[in-house]
Amino acid sequence: KLANVLEKVPKGVEAEVAAAARRVLYAATRTQAEEAWGRFQRACGQRFPSAVECLARDLEACGTYLSVPRESLETDSHHERAGAELPRGAPPRARHRPVSG
């Protein structure tokens, strides 16, 4: 989505517009996203209306993750390691340590 927005602005201001758009797209909360969206519209609306329209088209879809509780998105590393795949050709993991006698 960001690349589509940046196609609508001149090369010289891409960094400025990209930073403003990232603040909208990667906001931690819906409130922060809405505030960043207002700032983006004020900063870029007059100069680059096509960029603002482009981001507006997909704004709701990009912010869908903000409606999911943050706790449900977090995992702990123990579960991630337990589900990790083994490289091809690696022997299966032993479930128990062998008893040396």
Side-chain angles (χ1 to χ4, degrees):
K1 304 301 178 191
L2 185 57
N4 293 340
V5 172
L6 296 179
E7 287 179 0
K8 311 286 187 206
V9 299
K11 295 280 184 208
V13 293
E14 277 185 351
E16 173 190 346
V17 174
R22 281 189 189 101
R23 284 190 285 274
V24 175
L25 296 172
Y26 303 124
T29 65
R30 185 168 295 279
T31 303
Q32 289 175 350
E34 289 170 357
E35 291 171 359
W37 171 240
R39 288 191 301 272
F40 183 82
Q41 286 178 306
R42 287 189 297 278
C44 302
Q46 291 290 348
R47 299 185 319 182
F48 315 112
S50 59
V52 174
E53 290 172 18
C54 181
L55 186 57
R57 271 185 252 129
D58 297 317
L59 193 58
E60 190 59 37
C62 290
T64 300
Y65 74 95
L66 294 172
S67 60
V68 177
R70 191 165 199 79
E71 305 82 47
S72 66
L73 297 175
E74 295 174 355
T75 61
D76 64 27
S77 59
H78 173 72
H79 289 105
E80 291 173 1
R81 283 193 304 269
E85 290 186 30
L86 293 173
R88 287 183 178 240
R93 291 182 184 159
R95 294 188 181 252
H96 302 285
R97 290 186 182 162
V99 180
S100 58

